Amino acid sequence: MKAYSNLLLTLLLPLVSSQVFHWGPCPQPPVQQNFDLHRYLGKWFEIEKLPASFERGKCIEANYSVRADGTIKVFNSQLWRGKVRTVEGTAVVQDIREPAKLGVSFSYLTPYSPYWVLYTDYVSMAMVYSCTDILRLFHVDFAWILSRTRTLPPATISSAKVTFTSNNIDISKMIPTDQQGCDKQR
Ligand SMILES: *[C@@H]1O[C@H](CO)[C@@H](O)[C@H](O)[C@H]1NC(C)=O
């Protein structure tokens, strides 16, 4: 019974906590070829995202680093209701043949969520996609446009959106993240 209710919770949580779900299985976009995790480490700022209810604040950023034990630390922070909120998680490469397909978990209680790097040049921007199939009937997905700085040229953002769309990812609900006034408030 416990296992059953845990399964149910895992299945239903994405539904109640996100506004973005679509019929049909997850799209299978191509990911960054020859992905080099070490060049990807460090600080990234969130420029736009498909709404995720766990990220309601502003000044959202992530810092990826290698822990002493070799695991990848994910350190996310955001400013919400005037306070800096942080959360630490772990990223893993689930299949070394596909290094751009990471999994990220923020608690040992929750399974690893997909974190696919669709594209990155490592030095300026990255496109990340996360999609979970639910009973193969529908899927819940998240998408992020990340930048090494708090802003990106509008042309870069539009071209990222064209790439998402051409890979059958519906980013019509994507919204910009407020990255203004962040440095003075910290
Ligand atoms: C990212 O995290 C690592 C490890 O905690 C830390 O040493 C580094 O200074 C952080 N980088 C930035 C830009 O905050």
Side-chain angles (χ1 to χ4, degrees), residues 42-43 61 63-66 73 75:
K43 183 82 79 80
E61 51 192 66
N63 179 8
Y64 306 99
S65 59
V66 181
K73 173 172 144 184
F75 191 78

Side-chain angles (χ1 to χ4, degrees), residues 46-47 49 57-60 150 175-182:
E46 184 184 275
I47 301 300
K49 62 161 166 282
K58 55 180 278 183
C59 309
I60 299 172
R150 287 202 196 271
I175 53 165
T177 301
D178 186 358
Q179 293 285 1
Q180 286 184 345
C182 299

Side-chain angles (χ1 to χ4, degrees), residues 8-24:
L8 207 64
L9 202 65
T10 312
L11 292 176
L12 295 179
L13 262 183
L15 268 189
V16 293
S17 66
S18 101
Q19 300 126 297
V20 183
F21 74 98
H22 303 282
W23 295 107

Side-chain angles (χ1 to χ4, degrees), residues 160-178:
K161 289 183 173 178
V162 168
T163 305
F164 277 124
T165 305
S166 63
N167 287 305
N168 298 317
I169 296 165
D170 175 10
I171 44 99
S172 54
K173 294 199 173 86
M174 199 169 227
I175 53 165
T177 301
D178 186 358

Side-chain angles (χ1 to χ4, degrees), residues 16-158:
V16 293
S17 66
S18 101
Q19 300 126 297
V20 183
F21 74 98
H22 303 282
W23 295 107
C26 282
Q28 297 292 321
V31 295
Q32 176 64 50
Q33 293 206 338
N34 305 313
F35 179 66
D36 183 344
L37 181 57
H38 284 267
R39 290 179 67 200
Y40 188 76
L41 298 177
K43 183 82 79 80
W44 288 98
F45 299 96
E46 184 184 275
I47 301 300
E48 296 221 10
K49 62 161 166 282
L50 264 184
S53 60
F54 50 87
E55 295 178 311
R56 279 166 293 197
K58 55 180 278 183
C59 309
I60 299 172
E61 51 192 66
N63 179 8
Y64 306 99
S65 59
V66 181
R67 293 194 189 94
D69 66 1
T71 59
I72 307 298
K73 173 172 144 184
V74 178
F75 191 78
N76 288 353
S77 74
Q78 63 172 314
L79 197 60
W80 194 52
R81 292 186 175 164
K83 280 198 179 128
V84 177
R85 323 263 166 160
T86 63
V87 59
E88 184 175 331
T90 295
V92 292
V93 177
Q94 289 171 313
D95 179 350
I96 53 164
R97 289 165 303 181
E98 294 192 287
K101 295 184 177 178
L102 301 161
V104 172
S105 172
F106 290 98
S107 152
Y108 64 94
L109 290 170
T110 56
Y112 282 89
S113 302
Y115 179 111
W116 290 11
V117 181
L118 302 193
Y119 171 79
T120 185
D121 62 3
Y122 305 99
V123 294
S124 68
M125 68 92 69
M127 294 169 55
V128 177
Y129 184 60
S130 177
C131 186
T132 303
D133 275 313
I134 300 184
L135 306 171
R136 303 290 292 168
L137 284 176
F138 53 92
H139 62 271
V140 177
D141 61 359
F142 302 100
W144 295 269
I145 299 172
L146 304 178
S147 169
R148 288 294 194 189
T149 51
R150 287 202 196 271
T151 55
L152 271 181
T156 307
I157 297 172
S158 337

